[in-house]
């Protein structure tokens, strides 16, 4: 009985012939056998904005370095304070140290990561 139902269902499944144009199986289904080509031009800076944007990116990169240094320094201070009788402070610092280090690594490697993707 089950094999009979499967055979009946398989008989109603449309198959796509090997043509190069669009194939209309019914009103709701369209199979495209052609490959869609999307243009992928290289990045191009906006005229007149290349120098100011590069300058601001340098400022932001510098600020990220300072923030990462301060974050790691604060984490080290909290670990030092938490050694004597304040174990919660040390636990808090160890919980936040990977985030500070991850932010520093991400800020330092952002340009290389974007260059690999684009």
């Amino acid at each position: 009985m089950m094999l009979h139902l499967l055979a009946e269902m398989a008989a109603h499944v449309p198959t796509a012939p090997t043509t190069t144009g669009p194939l209309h199986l019914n009103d709701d289904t369209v199979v495209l056998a052609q490959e869609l080509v999307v243009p992928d031009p290289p990045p191009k800076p906006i005229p007149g904005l290349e120098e100011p944007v590069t300058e601001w990116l340098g400022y932001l990169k510098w600020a990220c370095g300072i923030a990462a240094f301060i974050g790691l320094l604060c984490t080290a201070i909290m670990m030092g304070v938490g050694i004597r009788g304040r174990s919660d402070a040390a636990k808090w610092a160890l919980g936040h140290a990977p985030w500070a280090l991850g932010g520093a690594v991400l800020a330092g490697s952002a340009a290389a990561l974007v260059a690999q993707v684009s």
Side-chain angles (χ1 to χ4, degrees):
M1 173 104 176
M2 189 67 137
L3 289 175
H4 177 67
L5 288 174
L6 287 174
E8 187 176 324
M9 288 171 42
H12 295 304
V13 174
T15 58
T18 58
T19 61
T20 58
L23 172 69
H24 295 279
L25 297 176
N26 58 32
D27 292 339
D28 299 325
T29 307
V30 175
V31 176
L32 294 177
Q34 296 176 347
E35 185 176 324
L36 179 63
V37 178
V38 178
D40 188 17
K44 183 178 177 184
I46 299 173
L49 286 181
E50 186 174 6
E51 186 177 328
V53 168
T54 303
E55 188 173 333
W56 276 100
L57 286 175
Y59 293 152
L60 289 173
K61 197 172 183 180
W62 177 81
C64 284
I66 297 298
F69 175 74
I70 290 172
L72 290 172
L73 190 61
C74 289
T75 301
I77 290 170
M78 289 300 293
M79 288 171 64
V81 167
I83 288 175
R84 296 286 180 180
R86 295 180 183 89
S87 63
D88 287 340
K91 288 177 190 175
W92 180 88
L94 284 175
H96 288 77
W99 291 104
L101 188 58
V105 168
L106 187 61
S109 64
L113 289 172
V114 171
Q116 286 294 326
V117 173
S118 61

